[in-house]
Amino acid sequence: MSRVIVVTSGKGGVGKTTTSAAFSAGLASKGYKTAVIDFDVGLRNLDLIMGVERRVVYDFVNVINGEATLRQALIKDKRVDNLYILPASQTRDKDALTEEGVENVINDLKDDGFDYIICDSPAGIEKGAFMALYFADEAIIVTNPEVSSVRDSDRILGILQSKSRAAEEGNVVKEHLVITRYSPERVDSGDMISLDDIVEILSVPLLGVIPESGSVLQASNSGIPVIMDKESRAGQAYMDIVGRFLGEKIEHRFLDVEKQGFFKKLFG
Amino acid sequence: MGLFDIFRQNRKKNTATLAKERLQILIAHEHASGNGLNAPDYLPQLRNEIMEVIRKYVAVDDKSVNVNLEKGDDFDVLELNITLPDRQ
């Protein structure tokens, strides 16, 4: 049974594409046949984050318009088996994504035996974001510990549970919360809203917390999903998220200020 | 509030707490008002049909019928407010 998972947030710049890239690479590395689709028509970036930007020949909209087959447009990742990327189009035509077209592509992926279809949503609540969430069975809500991001997440949750096909058919889209750019030091000093408070406000089950980490930028610079950087805390936190999503019991990590030694405390 | 927090009164107010309070109030308000999103699509048509039925008996104008949907925890309340014209 294939599952369609939307990665969404409402607000831009919170880490949707980083999370989509990491999560799909993680699922694929665990042996699941995974496709990740960029829904940000006109502003595609998933290809760049995943380092396949020079291999884009056909895109999502070409497939919808029948100008290319799905097989031609899907880019097979060279580092991880079972991982396929469907890039967005750079067209400025806002109506390029049709409900029927998107549904056909998703159904074709299901028929091709994909276990997971990850939909990387654009920011905002326009057509692209709507199309990304419409066919979802589950949703990963990416939130930063910051007021505007939390508010937009709440709004996108409202849309998810009222406007998606699952909602129209009287079902519930399963929600998962991923908090990114988390800084335990700043939470400790009272400058950053804590993860408990975010979970309380949004009342969505917490899938994982990604600590603020320089390795995320380094990974995007190099076009390698950060989950493949096994040394980094962000990479490990994403791997935990994939494990938890697949039902493993994994403790949350990197939530507390790292303990400093006595002398470090004393002398800074 | 810990015992030693008394001595920290002069410190800048904890902005994370402020953020939480503001978000809770805002989100509660946005949920209560239906957010314009959670309001079902049938509301406008429902309103028109109710108007037609009322007009069979009383002459009311468009502005005097107010249909509102309030979200509760376990249930939603459909509120219908009709102002009848003054008795002649």
Side-chain angles (χ1 to χ4, degrees), chain A residues 20 22 25 36 44 53 56 62 77 84 100 113 115 165 171 181-182 197 199 204 212 228 242-243 247 249 255:
Chain A
S20 298
V36 55
R44 83 165 163 237
E53 70 277 10
V56 177
N62 290 141
D77 193 277
Y84 295 81
E100 192 193 356
D115 298 304
R165 174 169 285 180
N171 298 318
R181 307 202 66 168
Y182 195 68
D197 288 346
V199 171
V204 174
E212 173 81 71
M228 296 169 82
V242 173
K249 284 256 175 267
L255 305 184

Side-chain angles (χ1 to χ4, degrees), chain B residues 38-78:
Chain B
N38 302 326
D41 296 336
Y42 59 73
L43 267 194
Q45 204 190 339
L46 175 79
R47 185 179 179 282
N48 286 340
E49 287 182 22
I50 288 171
M51 290 285 294
E52 278 173 37
V53 174
I54 294 168
R55 283 209 187 104
K56 280 187 190 171
Y57 305 94
V58 197
V60 290
D61 60 27
D62 265 3
K63 282 179 285 183
S64 54
V65 177
N66 185 14
V67 180
N68 193 22
L69 191 80
E70 284 229 9
K71 295 254 169 203
D73 282 341
D74 301 326
F75 53 85
D76 301 344
V77 176
L78 181 69

Side-chain angles (χ1 to χ4, degrees), chain A residues 3 23 32 34-35 46 53-54 73 90 92 112 115 120 145-146 156 187 201 210 227 234 237 259 262 267:
Chain A
R3 299 289 284 171
F23 190 66
Y32 295 96
T34 306
L46 180 70
E53 70 277 10
R54 293 170 63 183
Q90 287 289 48
R92 289 164 64 187
D112 265 0
D115 298 304
D120 180 21
E146 184 267 326
I156 209 81
V187 171
I201 290 167
I210 309 301
I227 199 165
K259 295 229 165 44
F262 176 70
F267 301 111

Side-chain angles (χ1 to χ4, degrees), chain A residues 147 150-151 154-155 158-159 162-163 189-193 197 200-201, chain B residues 11 14-16 19-20 22-24 26-27 30-31 35 37-38 41:
Chain A
V147 283
V150 176
R151 180 203 209 172
D154 180 72
R155 195 156 166 82
I159 295 172
S162 62
K163 304 284 180 193
S189 66
D191 296 333
M192 184 179 273
I193 186 162
D197 288 346
E200 186 190 331
I201 290 167
Chain B
R11 283 188 52 177
N14 185 326
T15 56
K20 184 191 180 188
R22 290 176 61 217
L23 274 170
Q24 281 177 321
L26 177 72
I27 286 175
E30 284 182 343
H31 285 193
N35 226 340
L37 289 165
N38 302 326
D41 296 336

